[in-house]
Each structure stands twice: as structure tokens, then as C-alpha cells.
Amino acid sequence: MQYQVDTHTHTVASSHAYSTIHDYIAVAKQKGIRLFANTDHGPDMADAPHFWHFVNLRVLPRMVDGVGILRGIEANIKNIDGEIDFFGDYLKQLDIVLAGFHEPVYPPSDKATHTKAMINAIKSGNVDIITHPGNPAYPIDIEAVARAAAEYGVALEINNSSFEVSRKGSEANCTAIAQAAKEFGTILVMGSDSHVAFSLGGFTRAQAIIDEVAYPPSRLLNRSPSALLAFLAARGHETVSDLIALFNDDDDIGDGANN
Ligand SMILES: [Zn+2]
Ligand SMILES: [Zn+2]
């Protein structure tokens, strides 16, 4: 059975991506994806939508034809203090907040600085999921990050597109992250990081890494829509709790003996 939840997608609002919300819904229905997050690049990134894009996400329905849509952002970690390019009450209006390092906003420096910046973002309470922490352009102290993420209840992403189109050479880091996450009780999530709808829910390479270290599927946020929604509700996103009732998760992947 395939995973039905994808937390990381980009639309034409970032013009280096090529699909609309409608395209994603159509592919979701085709592939049996039941819940996905719309997470365009934070406003400080080159080619990102304007700040207002995120403020006005409130016009998006949360359910269309049985597909759940979360209003989100892939924000940029901006500095060693772990600040991101979205803030205040506006953050509370989003359903899901991803954040990661991107060269145009925060050029790589050294391992100690990257580690501090990432851990400060984790501690800030503003970020639910750290995107592509295995990026070899930004070496981090994997054990320290995995421990901090576990302590603060932040999920680390195994980014499928890191093995396909970007961030070449992520495999070793991602395997080490999955291993550390298993050891320290850190939550993991797979993200397709789709820049076109066809790749929505595509996790083949990320799943191979998770399987390789035998990370427990029962702790993977993709295991069911309500698993992700419960995680987000516990992190203080109030509105998503209303969505949980809309999903019947009898087929929660982490529950079965046959996984
Ligand atoms: Zn992008
Ligand atoms: Zn990214």
C-alpha cells in the first residue's frame, strides 16, 4: 500500500514550479493521495510568491472532492538565530510550516553554524518540519539535530527529490538522519518536494532509506491523514483539528502487521 499523505509541494506561485492547485487535486485523485500540503517558498527566496500569497491562503478550501489541502509554506531559515521569513500572527493562520536552508537566502558557511541555525529554528516553536536536512551543501551535526527535533517535537524530512533532481549526494546524510531519528525517537516525514504535480506522493527513494534503517512506520507522519493532522494540532495549529474527523484511517499504515 502506498503512502497517501504528502507534506511538500510547490505551485506556479513559485515560477520555477509548473502546476496549479487544480493540477495537484487531479493527480491526488488519480493516485489516491488523500491529504497534501501546499508549501510554496517563503517570500525571501528568489522566485518566491509575495508575502500576501501566504496571507490569502485562507481562500483555499481545505477539502475538494475528498482530497484534503493544507495551507502551508516552505519558509527559509535566515540566520544563526533560526529566524524564518514568515512571522507573528500570520504564522498561526497557516496549517503547516516547513523551513529549510536555501542558498539564495542563507549561503552555506560551516557545520557548527548550520547546526546552530537549524537547532534554533527547531527550538523557536515556529517550524513543524525541517526540509531536506540531509542537503550535503549544509553539513550539520546530525545527532545533535535529531536529538533537538525529538525533544521539541519537530519532524525531519526525508526529501524524495534530493535523490532525483536536486541536492545530489544526499543519500549518506539522509541514511544517517533516519538512523539517528530511529535511535532518538525523532519523527520523520517523507516529502516529494514536487515542483510539478506528476511527482505528488512519489516517495520511492525516500522510502528505500527509511526501510534500509528499519525506521518504524508507526512514527512516520505519512502513515495516515489523521496522523499528520494530530501532529499539527498538537503543535498548536487549531484549525486542522476540524479536519481530522473527515478522514477514516482504518488503513493507517503504521497500525498493520503487514508493513
Ligand atoms: Zn523550489
Ligand atoms: Zn527546499
Side-chain angles (χ1 to χ4, degrees):
M1 178 179 162
Q2 72 159 27
Y3 288 94
Q4 300 170 336
V5 175
D6 193 345
T7 50
H8 194 165
T9 68
H10 299 273
T11 70
V12 287
S14 315
S15 71
H16 63 286
Y18 307 95
S19 294
T20 65
I21 292 282
H22 283 78
D23 299 330
Y24 277 103
I25 291 166
V27 173
K29 287 172 72 179
Q30 264 168 29
K31 291 189 175 180
I33 302 297
R34 297 164 72 205
L35 179 66
F36 72 92
N38 168 223
T39 56
D40 274 299
H41 289 288
D44 283 9
M45 173 86 157
D47 200 35
H50 189 272
F51 195 89
W52 294 351
H53 164 92
F54 302 98
V55 176
N56 204 39
L57 283 173
R58 60 191 170 211
V59 304
L60 276 186
R62 285 204 176 81
M63 277 299 252
V64 177
D65 293 347
V67 177
I69 307 159
L70 295 176
R71 306 164 186 174
I73 188 171
E74 185 189 15
N76 296 284
I77 298 174
K78 296 199 298 187
N79 51 39
I80 195 164
D81 297 328
E83 291 177 312
I84 60 173
D85 54 345
F86 209 71
F87 49 79
D89 285 347
Y90 293 116
L91 270 172
K92 293 193 193 120
Q93 292 168 21
L94 296 178
D95 300 332
I96 183 167
V97 178
L98 281 48
F101 293 134
H102 298 97
E103 277 91 343
V105 177
Y106 190 42
S109 50
D110 59 78
K111 186 171 168 175
T113 306
H114 306 152
T115 302
K116 214 169 239 178
M118 195 172 277
I119 289 177
N120 283 334
I122 287 167
K123 288 181 173 174
S124 73
N126 293 330
V127 180
D128 305 313
I129 296 173
I130 297 289
T131 54
H132 41 72
N135 186 354
Y138 291 89
I140 51 165
D141 179 336
I142 286 172
E143 192 178 309
V145 166
R147 280 181 190 278
E151 185 182 348
Y152 288 87
V154 169
L156 300 180
E157 180 192 63
I158 304 294
N159 184 299
N160 200 69
S161 82
S162 294
F163 315 118
E164 311 243 334
V165 287
S166 46
R167 296 175 292 274
K168 295 280 182 213
S170 290
E171 282 84 353
N173 287 343
C174 290
T175 305
I177 287 167
Q179 186 66 52
K182 181 185 173 186
E183 194 174 326
F184 302 127
T186 315
I187 298 163
L188 289 184
V189 64
M190 299 183 291
S192 71
D193 197 1
S194 289
H195 283 67
V196 67
F198 304 120
S199 53
L200 179 69
F203 300 130
T204 312
R205 304 286 302 274
Q207 205 179 329
I209 296 232
I210 277 165
D211 291 347
E212 187 186 333
V213 307
Y215 183 84
S218 59
R219 289 213 315 253
L220 201 55
L221 286 184
N222 311 81
R223 69 188 181 273
S224 69
S226 59
L228 175 63
L229 294 168
F231 164 80
L232 295 171
R235 288 199 49 83
H237 296 275
E238 288 173 25
T239 41
V240 297
S241 51
D242 301 337
L243 264 176
I244 298 179
L246 300 173
F247 291 98
N248 169 8
D249 286 340
D250 289 344
D251 45 3
D252 183 322
I253 286 176
D255 285 347
N258 56 343
N259 55 66

